[in-house]
């Protein structure tokens, strides 16, 4: 059993910043990858950013240069620093984690999502 708890969403003006956090807890041996996806109104869900246990990062083209994904030292919490926010960034942001359990099996888990609204 793994739980992901997200926080940090809210309303911000264009050009502003938000920092999302996602903490993983439960039966975890190690976390292979953590990341964020979002789904804007009327749009498909898409991957925003990922970070591996080794620190390798990937970003969607739409957020590259503006968003930064990072993790804590324990590698159980992932952050998404969102700068220079645009109205098109408005979406529900969901955290995910690829978790390896004590048997060595990996499974993907998703958080509940947190609303980010960018509007004047």
């Amino acid at each position: 059993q793994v739980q992901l708890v997200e926080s940090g969403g809210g309303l911000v003006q264009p050009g502003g910043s938000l920092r999302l956090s996602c903490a993983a807890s439960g039966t975890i041996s190690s976390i292979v990858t953590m990341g964020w996806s979002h789904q804007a109104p009327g749009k498909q869900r898409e991957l925003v950013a990922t970070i591996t246990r080794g620190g390798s990062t990937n970003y969607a083209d739409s957020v590259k240069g503006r968003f930064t994904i990072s993790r804590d030292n324990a590698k159980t919490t992932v952050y998404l620093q969102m700068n220079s926010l645009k109205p098109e960034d408005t979406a529900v942001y969901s955290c995910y984690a690829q978790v390896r359990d004590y048997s060595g099996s990996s499974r993907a888990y998703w958080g509940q999502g947190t609303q980010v609204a960018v509007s004047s």
Side-chain angles (χ1 to χ4, degrees), residues 9-27:
L11 175 65
V12 66
Q13 295 185 27
S17 298
L18 285 173
R19 189 188 190 218
L20 306 183
S21 299
C22 174
S25 62
T27 307

Side-chain angles (χ1 to χ4, degrees):
Q1 186 179 3
V2 174
Q3 186 174 6
L4 302 178
V5 180
E6 300 135 318
S7 63
L11 175 65
V12 66
Q13 295 185 27
S17 298
L18 285 173
R19 189 188 190 218
L20 306 183
S21 299
C22 174
S25 62
T27 307
I28 300 170
S29 178
S30 63
I31 298 177
V32 179
T33 304
M34 297 188 78
W36 296 90
S37 65
H38 70 190
Q39 186 171 25
K43 302 292 185 179
Q44 297 181 115
R45 174 162 294 280
E46 63 178 351
L47 196 63
V48 175
T50 61
I51 185 167
T52 69
R53 184 173 180 84
S56 179
T57 59
N58 286 286
Y59 298 92
D61 289 341
S62 61
V63 307
K64 196 171 297 182
R66 299 187 297 118
F67 291 9
T68 303
I69 189 169
S70 62
R71 48 164 169 74
D72 66 356
N73 290 335
K75 302 178 181 179
T76 54
T77 302
V78 66
Y79 307 93
L80 187 67
Q81 179 66 47
M82 304 185 293
N83 298 326
S84 302
L85 283 161
K86 305 174 180 179
E88 51 263 44
D89 295 320
T90 296
V92 175
Y93 286 73
S94 299
C95 174
Y96 94 92
Q98 184 181 355
V99 178
R100 192 177 305 280
D101 63 20
Y102 294 103
S103 73
S105 299
S106 294
R107 291 184 62 184
Y109 297 86
W110 293 266
Q112 301 173 40
T114 184
Q115 177 70 55
V116 172
V118 185
S119 176
S120 60

